[in-house]
């Protein structure tokens, strides 16, 4: 029998939000040390949760399972209740079975008949203790057998995060060592900083690498995995905080998938609020659009809706972030484009013919992107956004719409007085108009990183000043229609003489700085980080802002004028640069250069 999905309890090192794992009454408690549930009579546990409900529709439609069983181990007498939650219609109790559990003797409930339901939906179960009881392992199982077991390479790219990557590798190594399919898994650690204390061993290959960003690091991992005969690769971050159960579910789903194009994109959960989804995959169309952003994973109704919707035909522009993205090497016609970072995962997903799927409970916990924003990240984002629409025929939206992407990037920062970011955005447009050879010549981004750092002074977090702590915190965007209209007409005060002395000073939490409405009507905005220790302030500079808008218009006109030739150049060159042979040449050249400096 194959375990499709284990029931998991919170891993206190990753997430302690109990309600995304199980719902317990007062007569049931979790024993974290033993990874078990302890019941007094009358104790109840329900698993209609993000990490433990079973999306019947995804597994039945996309894999080769023909039967489904639920297995439980423990001691004591319990009632097992299995619930079926279809996509449309009432949720119902599908099974109810009282069992007396004995140590070492699993009890099984046959759920195969649910596979014949017209409306598949979700399956989840509950337990009611009729005596003192302890419940340990629980799992959904099938007798299905894959045509062949995948060989999965876990490719981790790291740069100067020694403690994080060492912890991640140790956790995954420990999992592989005891995993029933462990012989088919291997870790490749590509160290762009060449600083991590990781030794190659039976389960891990350590690869010191030049710093060519995520694109270069993951390309190196893919290259090594393909040359070593692996069939699939999982791209993941050095600080990846995911349960190893995510790795198991992904591996088995890939093994049983009927479509050889199947890839699995892990969700991202906000590290600040570990019950809140950042995205469950994302779609790209003139911008990155996180799917189900902000969804409360404790809300079973919202969770059910998301799982049903994501069981249908996926958005053709769906892509997976490289904090957790597993794919078949055979379908990777194109390797990553040398973006350094930002946009490489979008391009890779959209250029290749993957069928991107999202699975319940397959997720990584990460810090949100908003607090990480800087002139550098805006430069990288805009550069890749424009390049996607120039490179990929499926992304073609025409000259005007492509130019409007840059205008929109600028306007969002203009309203918030992020003038340094606007200068970085201008540089991004100029660099894209140099053509694809710019990306080839700037794989390491060394010159651009230095240049953008040199123009970044105000828009960087520093220690918070005492006076900033007393500023009024703006909690929501301006609601009054007349104030909003006045702010828009005057370009947020840029057209009002001496507005730099007239408007209010406000404070905004850094997590809300992406909400443009927070800036309307202010003359000075202080952004404060989540722990209220760091901040930075932007102020209206009317002449500077208007000059930057004028330059934006000139660059946009130039981009529209040159659009046909840029499209032709990018599409001709993309297959050459986003190619396995390209990265083989890069690393062959780098190896020779490194060898020439070797004293030996």
């Amino acid at each position: 029998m194959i375990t499709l999905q284990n029931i998991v309890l919170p891993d206190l090192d990753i997430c302690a939000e109990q309600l995304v794992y199980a719902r317990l009454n007062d007569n049931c408690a979790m024993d974290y040390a033993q990874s078990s549930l302890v019941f007094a009579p009358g104790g109840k546990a329900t698993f209609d949760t993000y990490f433990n409900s079973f999306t019947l529709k995804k597994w039945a439609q996309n894999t080769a399972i023909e039967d489904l069983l639920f297995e439980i181990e423990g001691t004591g007498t319990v009632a097992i209740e299995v619930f079926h939650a279809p996509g449309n219609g009432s949720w119902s109790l599908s099974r109810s079975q009282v069992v007396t559990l004995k140590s070492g003797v699993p009890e099984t409930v046959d759920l195969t008949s649910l596979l014949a339901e017209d409306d598949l939906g979700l399956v989840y179960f509950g337990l009611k203790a009729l005596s003192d009881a302890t419940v340990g392992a629980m799992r959904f199982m099938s007798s299905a057998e894959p045509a062949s077991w995948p060989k999965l390479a876990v490719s981790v790219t790291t740069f100067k995060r020694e403690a994080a990557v060492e912890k991640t590798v140790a956790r995954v190594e420990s999992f592989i060592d005891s995993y029933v399919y462990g012989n088919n898994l291997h870790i490749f650690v590509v160290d762009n900083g060449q600083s991590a204390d990781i030794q190659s061993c039976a389960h891990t290959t350590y690869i010191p690498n030049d710093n060519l960003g995520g694109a270069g690091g993951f390309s190196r991992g893919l290259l090594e995995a393909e040359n070593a005969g692996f069939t699939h690769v999982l791209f993941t971050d050095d600080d990846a905080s995911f349960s190893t159960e995510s790795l198991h579910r992904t591996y088995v789903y890939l093994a049983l998938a009927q479509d050889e194009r199947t890839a699995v994109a892990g969700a991202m959960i906000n590290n600040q609020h570990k019950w809140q989804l950042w995205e469950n995959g994302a779609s790209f169309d003139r911008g990155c659009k996180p799917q189900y952003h902000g969804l409360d994973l404790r809300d079973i109704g919202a969770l059910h809706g998301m799982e049903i919707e994501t069981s249908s035909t996926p958005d053709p522009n769906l892509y997976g972030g490289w904090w957790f993205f597993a794919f078949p090497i055979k379908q990777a016609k194109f390797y990553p484009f040398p973006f350094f970072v930002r946009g490489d995962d979008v391009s890779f997903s959209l250029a290749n013919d993957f069928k991107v799927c999202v699975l319940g409970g397959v997720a990584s916990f990460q810090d949100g992107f908003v607090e990480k924003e800087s002139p550098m990240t805006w430069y990288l984002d805009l550069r890749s956004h424009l390049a996607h629409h120039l490179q990929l025929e499926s992304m073609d939206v025409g000259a005007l719409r492509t130019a409007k992407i840059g205008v929109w990037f600028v306007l969002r920062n203009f309203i918030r007085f992020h003038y340094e970011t606007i200068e970085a955005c201008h540089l991004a447009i100029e660099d894209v108009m140099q053509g694809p050879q710019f990306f080839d010549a700037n794989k390491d981004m060394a010159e651009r990183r230095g240049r953008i750092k040199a123009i970044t002074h105000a828009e960087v977090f520093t220690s918070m000043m005492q006076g900033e702590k007393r500023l009024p915190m703006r909690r929501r965007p301006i609601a009054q229609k007349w104030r909003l209209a006045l702010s828009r007409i005057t370009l947020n005060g840029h057209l009002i003489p001496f507005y730099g002395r007239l408007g209010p000073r406000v404070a905004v939490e850094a997590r809300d700085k992406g909400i443009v409405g927070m800036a309307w009507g202010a003359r000075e905005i202080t952004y404060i980080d989540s722990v209220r220790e760091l901040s930075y302030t932007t102020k209206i500079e009317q002449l500077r802002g208007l000059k930057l808008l004028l330059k934006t218009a000139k660059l946009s006109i130039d981009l529209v004028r040159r659009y046909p030739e840029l499209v032709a150049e990018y599409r001709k060159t993309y297959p050459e640069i986003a190619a396995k042979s390209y990265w083989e040449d890069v690393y062959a050249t780098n190896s020779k250069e490194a060898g020439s400096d070797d004293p030996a």
Side-chain angles (χ1 to χ4, degrees), residues 209-232:
N209 201 50
D210 293 326
N211 184 22
L212 301 180
F218 284 118
S219 293
R220 182 69 184 273
L222 175 55
L223 188 63
E224 297 286 343
E226 183 172 4
N227 289 342
F230 286 85
T231 62
H232 292 72

Side-chain angles (χ1 to χ4, degrees), residues 202-249:
H203 301 314
T204 302
T205 298
Y206 174 73
I207 306 167
N209 201 50
D210 293 326
N211 184 22
L212 301 180
F218 284 118
S219 293
R220 182 69 184 273
L222 175 55
L223 188 63
E224 297 286 343
E226 183 172 4
N227 289 342
F230 286 85
T231 62
H232 292 72
V233 172
L234 167 64
F235 285 166
T236 187
D237 281 343
D238 48 11
D239 60 345
S241 294
F242 61 84
S243 165
T244 51
E245 173 65 14
S246 290
L247 187 52
H248 165 72
R249 293 181 190 181

